[in-house]
Amino acid sequence: MKTRPPKPQTMRDALYEAPGPRTRKRIALGTAVSAVLVLLGAAAVVWQFYVTGQLSARYWSFFLQWTTWRFLLQGLLGTVQVAATAGVIALVLGLLLMLGRTSGVRPLAAACRVVTDFFRGVPSLLLIYFFFLVVPQYGVKMPSFWMLTLPVALAASGVLAEVFRAGVNAVPRGQVEAAKSIGLSPARTMFKIVLPQAVRYVIPSLIAQLVVVVKDTTVAYVVSYPDLMQNARVLITRYDALVSMYLVVAVVYILINYAINRASVYVAHRTGVKIIR
Amino acid sequence: MQSATEKGTPVIELRHVEKHFGDLHVLRDVNLAVGRGEVLVVVGPSGSGKSTMCRTINRLETIDSGEILIEGEPLPQEGRELARMRAELGMVFQQFNLFAHMTVLDNVTLGPRDVLGVPREEAERQAMELLERVGVAEQAHKVPAQLSGGQQQRAAIARSLAMRPKAMMFDEPTSALDPEMINEVLDVMVELAREGMTMVVVTHEMSFARRVADRVVFMADGQIVEEGSPDEFFDHPRSQRARDFLDSIRGH
């Protein structure tokens, strides 16, 4: 076994040398001071809520009713359906765009490049307006699910194509040469040697992009698709409870994306990719 | 083959091969023939074009002009024919280039299964025999990163051998190894040479060259400057370039 220096486990280890006694004292002091500041800040926020009446029971009591949660969960289900479908479409399309772009067939590569750059450059909201306002004018009737899912997927596919390409570029040239030297065809080299390694390199970026997909679905209100955000808006109007509802919904989104992040760390560990936290 | 001379058609033949990297003339009128069972060792200073020459033989590097013949047939330029030809020529790299995401066993069986269509069990049986032979059978189910450099290179040799090649090219196979691991790889190569494998070996290991080579080729500035038996070359180099080169590596 070759001995290598241990890989850094945290961002601190990666960037700085191990602290000496004086630095340790300074770190301890900094930790104490910042903890106090954070507590003060949190207290100020709560106090502000209190004096403006946001903590009064009428803004929170409806969270005790099952119907509220059922409605929110229906919205959550909608969000998950759109995000999952859009994520799968974006992964497949992104992969195809990358394969086209790196195929070496000039017209195909140029076309894929233009498409990639287009979807990457255009805001997803603009794409949604296109599917919502322009496409129906040409007689294409689409349920609101697809009017939301397709543009979100397309926007993400542009980015994912680039992520995949970065991964493919990161695979050492020697891997391809070795594959060629045992007589593997270009297609098999790509699918058996290059892609499996490329995907491992970019798993963290892929997952990060899935988080973006989840957040992109929040513009569902444009096409009146009942996702978590849209249902929350309905409840806000009904109970006239803006701040409390947005706080709860924000927490739900944070939990979803935290779960995705944990999943990415798990997958990365399983496949042996080291992630610096 | 009946009417051929004693050595028969050369397994590998280069005729008037020329290659440029931009302005750099890396191969100048290279002519070379490697007979069946011959062990040809290519030596020379860095940048002399010896690795490039080795890599042109299975078209990992293209050539500008000239001809490369494998058993008298021109080296195919692309497609299935090229892939088939490559499958018949083993190549061992300086950096091992084992497939990083596969176990050692899968590295060795991939070619036979995917290219030659050998059934899985048969391929694995043969692979284990080969891994046994190069002494890394115990590592068969590990991934390359868990192996030492010497073990990786021996596994890489097994991967090439699994294709039952007509000839093997070794492109500086020990240059990336820690000193204590060089011999375990060279031992495998000596064994191969003894079994009659046709070999082209680019190396800096002069003792290996002297011991195993049937013929030594000395390259400098993209040209074959001198060739001969190991004794001729190491004891009585004819050219000044070769004398300077041998002096520089014998400095101590």
Side-chain angles (χ1 to χ4, degrees), chain A residues 1-2 4 173-185 188 192-194 196-197 200, chain B residues 55 58 60 83 86-87 89 91 93 97-102 110-111 114-115 146 159 163 178:
Chain A
M1 279 291 223
K2 250 189 188 154
R4 300 191 186 91
R173 224 168 66 111
Q175 296 284 308
V176 176
E177 290 185 348
K180 284 180 183 171
S181 77
I182 58 169
L184 241 50
S185 67
R188 289 211 170 152
K192 294 217 148 167
I193 306 300
V194 177
Q197 295 187 57
R200 269 169 229 215
Chain B
R55 290 160 56 84
N58 65 357
L60 288 181
R86 279 173 169 159
L89 297 169
M91 178 100 184
F93 300 87
N97 295 347
L98 286 173
F99 304 127
H101 60 305
M102 294 181 178
L110 178 68
D114 261 43
V115 179
Q146 295 172 291
R159 176 176 66 181
M163 301 300 290
D178 292 337

Side-chain angles (χ1 to χ4, degrees), chain B:
Chain B
M1 293 295 285
Q2 292 282 322
S3 60
T5 54
E6 188 194 9
K7 274 188 175 173
T9 318
V11 180
I12 298 167
E13 190 173 1
L14 283 73
R15 289 184 189 161
H16 306 295
V17 169
E18 301 270 351
K19 181 177 177 67
H20 293 78
F21 279 134
D23 288 338
L24 197 65
H25 201 166
V26 282
L27 293 179
R28 298 169 193 255
D29 192 27
V30 171
N31 290 282
L32 191 70
V34 187
R36 188 168 309 283
E38 188 177 17
V39 177
L40 182 84
V41 172
V42 185
V43 300
S46 345
S48 58
K50 45 193 201 305
S51 272
T52 307
M53 185 192 74
C54 185
R55 290 160 56 84
T56 60
I57 296 171
N58 65 357
R59 208 174 180 276
L60 288 181
E61 300 283 354
T62 55
I63 57 175
D64 296 343
S65 63
E67 263 187 305
I68 295 174
L69 306 173
I70 309 297
E71 291 188 326
E73 300 284 325
L75 180 68
Q77 295 297 294
E78 60 206 323
R80 225 169 265 196
E81 297 75 26
L82 175 62
R84 195 172 306 143
M85 189 61 86
R86 279 173 169 159
E88 294 176 355
L89 297 169
M91 178 100 184
V92 175
F93 300 87
Q94 184 177 349
Q95 300 295 338
F96 331 135
N97 295 347
L98 286 173
F99 304 127
H101 60 305
M102 294 181 178
T103 64
V104 168
L105 184 63
D106 288 342
N107 264 276
V108 180
T109 56
L110 178 68
R113 289 179 60 193
D114 261 43
V115 179
L116 306 179
V118 179
R120 184 195 184 107
E121 277 174 26
E122 174 69 7
E124 288 189 349
R125 198 182 54 70
Q126 289 171 359
M128 286 310 297
E129 271 174 29
L130 284 168
L131 290 172
E132 192 78 48
R133 207 169 121 195
V134 299
V136 291
E138 269 126 68
Q139 325 294 332
H141 297 286
K142 294 183 183 166
V143 291
Q146 295 172 291
L147 271 59
S148 74
Q151 290 171 331
Q152 287 191 53
Q153 191 62 298
R154 284 182 283 151
I157 293 173
R159 176 176 66 181
S160 286
L161 288 176
M163 301 300 290
R164 307 195 176 285
K166 291 172 179 168
M168 293 268 289
M169 275 94 71
F170 294 83
D171 184 8
E172 304 204 17
T174 57
S175 298
L177 295 175
D178 292 337
E180 75 270 23
M181 293 167 184
I182 289 177
N183 279 332
E184 63 190 55
V185 172
L186 291 182
D187 288 345
V188 171
M189 291 166 62
V190 170
E191 193 58 37
L192 266 182
R194 207 171 283 156
E195 288 165 16
M197 176 63 77
T198 308
M199 291 163 65
V200 175
V201 184
V202 175
T203 188
H204 294 289
E205 296 299 322
M206 296 304 152
S207 59
F208 172 82
R210 194 185 259 274
R211 200 149 46 101
V212 183
D214 294 313
R215 191 153 51 108
V216 176
V217 166
F218 173 70
M219 283 184 80
D221 298 325
Q223 277 174 309
I224 293 182
V225 178
E226 191 170 331
E227 57 179 284
S229 74
D231 289 343
E232 270 167 28
F233 175 73
F234 287 109
D235 297 336
H236 311 286
R238 294 187 298 272
S239 64
Q240 189 59 43
R241 297 294 310 262
R243 277 194 291 275
D244 291 347
F245 174 71
L246 289 172
D247 283 346
S248 73
I249 56 175
R250 275 175 194 154
H252 303 284

Side-chain angles (χ1 to χ4, degrees), chain A residues 70-255:
Chain A
R70 195 178 60 190
F71 195 56
L72 283 180
L73 284 175
Q74 280 166 358
L76 178 62
L77 184 65
T79 293
V80 170
Q81 280 171 342
V82 171
T85 314
V88 170
I89 294 175
L91 282 171
V92 173
L93 196 58
L95 189 62
L96 290 177
L97 283 172
M98 182 279 287
L99 288 175
R101 187 167 174 181
T102 55
S103 67
V105 183
R106 285 241 176 126
L108 179 64
C112 287
R113 184 180 183 156
V114 169
V115 172
T116 303
D117 287 348
F118 178 81
F119 287 143
R120 209 159 58 108
V122 175
S124 46
L125 186 57
L126 202 151
L127 287 174
I128 290 175
Y129 279 135
F130 176 80
F131 276 86
F132 183 51
L133 301 173
V134 181
V135 172
Q137 286 188 1
Y138 295 92
V140 182
K141 292 235 166 172
M142 219 185 263
S144 62
F145 176 82
W146 289 109
M147 283 197 275
L148 176 63
T149 303
L150 282 181
V152 168
L154 291 180
S157 71
V159 181
L160 288 178
E162 289 297 277
V163 169
F164 281 127
R165 199 164 64 97
V168 165
N169 285 339
V171 175
R173 224 168 66 111
Q175 296 284 308
V176 176
E177 290 185 348
K180 284 180 183 171
S181 77
I182 58 169
L184 241 50
S185 67
R188 289 211 170 152
T189 302
M190 178 53 94
F191 285 101
K192 294 217 148 167
I193 306 300
V194 177
L195 269 185
Q197 295 187 57
V199 168
R200 269 169 229 215
Y201 286 127
V202 297
I203 280 175
S205 310
L206 289 181
I207 305 282
Q209 196 54 36
L210 284 184
V211 170
V212 173
V213 167
V214 171
K215 296 207 280 187
D216 267 0
T217 60
T218 53
V219 287
Y221 69 88
V222 174
V223 296
S224 313
Y225 178 80
D227 78 330
L228 177 58
M229 195 66 163
Q230 170 69 6
N231 284 7
R233 286 160 57 91
V234 172
L235 290 174
I236 286 168
T237 325
R238 167 118 179 254
Y239 294 107
D240 190 24
L242 190 75
V243 175
S244 58
M245 182 54 75
Y246 275 161
L247 268 177
V248 169
V249 169
V251 168
V252 174
Y253 275 111
I254 289 171
L255 287 179

